[in-house]
Amino acid sequence: MPQLERIPHVVPHDEHVVTAREALEGLYLKLEQEAEVRLIAAALRAGWSAEEALDAIDQLRQEDMHSMH
């Protein structure tokens, strides 16, 4: 009977598999940054100052966080 080859050591899942959050986090951050740049650009075209645009974005984020709870 031929000798069976040994099964190679299986690497534990926590050493080679990323979580969904890890896989998506970079893309999410990139999209969030792109959206913010577009919002600011639109606000500037509408006559807002950059500071006003950033304040408005911050307010939207705070409202969004409050609605999630």
Side-chain angles (χ1 to χ4, degrees):
M1 200 177 245
Q3 190 173 12
L4 296 176
E5 289 186 31
R6 295 185 60 110
I7 297 173
H9 175 70
V10 176
V11 177
H13 73 281
D14 60 344
E15 291 183 22
H16 67 90
V17 175
V18 296
T19 64
R21 180 179 179 156
E22 290 170 328
L24 296 174
E25 195 168 30
L27 176 59
Y28 175 82
L29 294 173
K30 181 179 177 185
L31 289 172
E32 184 178 44
Q33 183 180 30
E34 182 180 327
E36 187 170 317
V37 168
R38 288 177 181 231
L39 286 170
I40 294 169
L44 292 174
R45 285 192 303 271
W48 293 29
S49 72
E51 186 175 341
E52 290 172 320
L54 290 171
D55 287 344
I57 291 169
D58 287 342
Q59 285 180 339
L60 287 171
R61 282 193 180 122
Q62 289 174 1
E63 290 173 13
D64 188 42
M65 290 185 73
H66 284 60
S67 69
M68 294 174 76
H69 295 216

